[in-house]
Amino acid sequence: MHSFRYEGLPARVLFGPGRRAELRAEVDRLGVKRALVLCTADQRQFGDLGAELLGDAAAGVHDGAKMHTPMQTVEAARALAAELDADGYVAIGGGTTIGLGKGIAIQTEHPVIAVPTTYAGSEMTPIQGFTEGGVKSTKVDMRMLPRTVIYDPELTLTLPPSYSGPSGMNAIAHAVEALYAENANPIVSLIAEEGIRALGQGLPKVCRKPDDLEGRGLCLYGSWLCGVALGSVGMALHHKLCHTLGGSFDLPHAETHAVLLPHTIAFNAVAVPDLLRPVERIFGSPPGAALYDFAASLEAPTALRDLGLKETDLDRAAAMAVSKPYPNPRPFDAAAIRALLGAAWAGDRPET
Ligand code: NAD
């Protein structure tokens, strides 16, 4: 057994169908008297649901959350929270909505309560990317870590297969990179493997039958564990490439993870085959090819060109991805990343 450091983040989680009914009790428990409920305009019904569940503890509903958390949206939400004298934030939705809650909370001591409706995992991390002037920069602050998370699989029954698959691949990516993280440790690796296993079982069910509550429970449980892995150890090449393609080429978040994961894992499997055994146990061997087949079986996208990236962007993306050093189990240069991105752009099935 190697030496390691393990650090757990505080978490209070309520999990199960119907547990959204306990939102008011959780808000009371945290001493919040006037909670601002956050959502996106697309998912306004989640905001209205939150307000209904909170009753007279709701200060209002704000449906201004936007993908990539532009700073203008954070400032608008902060101004509204101050105007309404809010003393807590309830974020009901995917990573976009939870990101807005984090953006308000980072400047106050008021808690965020998260009710996730996708598999992104943001609710388990004190990390958030904010976009300003076309640049996405990441902040880490414990005030952004939600104080209570309510996982209610019934709220995910409406997530369409076209998003469930990519969102699940996004979650799996957190856990797979945790297995070979620079600060990986056996506890987080256990959590990561269990998260991948649950999603490996649940995603085929919910992509086939979106109202399969048992499958939804497995997927949400898996995404929780994968979110814990993301919040506990450092990510590497895969997350860096997704961050570059999302932040600078405006590619959609979950779909980009789904396309790139088989390629980044095929690349790293050459260097750390033993650390990726859990992926082989769950999906088969070799791990990159097996993840590609899994994504394809969910009908998730498998080519960057289908997400709107131009072939002429590949050189620039590769150069950006290597511009700053960061840890990865296999060393790389711009040519290696260009080759990886080229294969992902074309939708090739990786061989390793
Ligand atoms: P999202 O929140 O934008 O939701 C994706 C789509 O699903 C939207 O169209 C939304 O309207 C819809 N949707 C959400 N829940 C639904 C439901 N239950 N039924 C039907 N439709 C539903 O996207 P996401 O993938 O959840 O999150 C992506 C964002 O989160 C990105 O900005 C990413 O950077 C961020 N993120 C942050 C972290 C972190 O730790 N800070 C982790 C993961 C993702």
Side-chain angles (χ1 to χ4, degrees):
M1 175 72 68
H2 300 295
S3 68
F4 60 88
R5 176 172 56 102
Y6 167 75
E7 230 175 297
L9 293 173
R12 178 176 165 89
V13 170
L14 307 186
F15 189 99
R19 302 261 347 224
R20 62 187 178 281
E22 289 162 71
L23 178 64
R24 172 65 194 257
E26 285 303 305
V27 161
D28 289 348
R29 193 183 154 272
L30 290 164
V32 173
K33 302 276 181 250
R34 294 180 56 75
L36 178 60
V37 184
L38 305 169
C39 60
T40 59
D42 281 357
Q43 303 298 329
R44 171 77 199 197
Q45 80 281 4
F46 285 142
D48 294 338
L49 170 73
E52 191 190 316
L53 291 167
L54 288 174
D56 62 6
V61 177
H62 177 56
D63 64 9
K66 297 242 159 52
M67 182 75 103
H68 302 309
T69 334
M71 276 314 291
Q72 309 92 285
T73 64
V74 174
E75 275 145 23
R78 279 178 188 156
L80 180 67
E83 188 189 315
L84 294 172
D85 203 16
D87 59 357
Y89 318 105
V90 170
I92 310 190
T96 295
T97 300
I98 293 167
L100 183 62
K102 289 174 161 181
I104 315 177
I106 194 173
Q107 284 198 339
T108 71
E109 297 303 322
H110 299 147
V112 181
I113 297 101
V115 186
T117 64
T118 69
Y119 308 135
S122 176
E123 65 282 356
M124 282 294 140
T125 80
I127 311 160
Q128 183 60 33
F130 298 100
T131 313
E132 195 161 28
V135 179
K136 196 169 181 178
S137 53
T138 302
K139 288 199 163 67
V140 182
D141 190 305
M142 283 301 286
R143 286 173 297 184
M144 297 198 290
L145 184 70
R147 297 272 286 280
T148 295
V149 179
I150 301 179
Y151 287 107
D152 186 338
E154 287 174 359
L155 296 181
T156 63
L157 294 174
T158 47
L159 196 64
S162 59
Y163 208 78
S164 295
S167 188
M169 291 296 291
N170 181 193
I172 291 170
H174 306 327
V176 174
E177 286 225 300
L179 295 172
Y180 57 57
E182 197 183 33
N183 55 346
N185 65 70
I187 309 306
V188 172
S189 295
L190 269 177
I191 293 172
E193 181 167 356
E194 174 68 356
I196 301 169
R197 186 198 59 75
L199 282 155
Q201 288 177 6
L203 286 172
K205 291 178 192 279
V206 305
C207 286
R208 210 167 35 236
K209 197 167 171 291
D211 64 352
D212 181 332
L213 189 57
E214 195 206 313
R216 289 296 185 184
L218 274 168
C219 289
L220 207 53
Y221 167 66
S223 69
W224 162 24
L225 300 184
C226 293
V228 172
L230 172 69
S232 304
V233 295
M235 299 287 110
L237 177 67
H238 173 78
H239 279 74
K240 175 67 185 174
L241 289 180
C242 291
H243 189 92
T244 302
L245 293 178
S248 303
F249 296 87
D250 208 26
L251 259 56
H253 181 80
E255 290 87 343
T256 304
H257 275 273
V259 172
L260 277 182
L261 189 65
H263 296 276
T264 49
I265 296 318
F267 182 81
N268 280 335
V270 175
V272 284
D274 290 345
L275 295 180
L276 288 168
R277 293 284 175 241
V279 179
E280 293 190 341
R281 281 197 285 277
I282 295 162
F283 295 111
S285 177
L291 281 166
Y292 182 95
D293 293 344
F294 182 66
S297 76
L298 303 175
E299 295 182 24
T302 51
L304 290 176
R305 67 175 165 199
D306 295 339
L307 303 185
L309 189 71
K310 295 199 249 4
E311 195 170 14
T312 48
D313 287 333
L314 293 174
D315 287 338
R316 190 159 64 94
M320 288 176 79
V322 298
S323 62
K324 284 192 197 139
Y326 50 91
N328 190 62
R330 181 175 169 192
F332 55 82
D333 56 16
I337 299 309
R338 175 64 180 79
L340 187 162
L341 288 176
W345 184 84
D348 296 343
R349 181 178 185 267
E351 284 171 11
T352 49

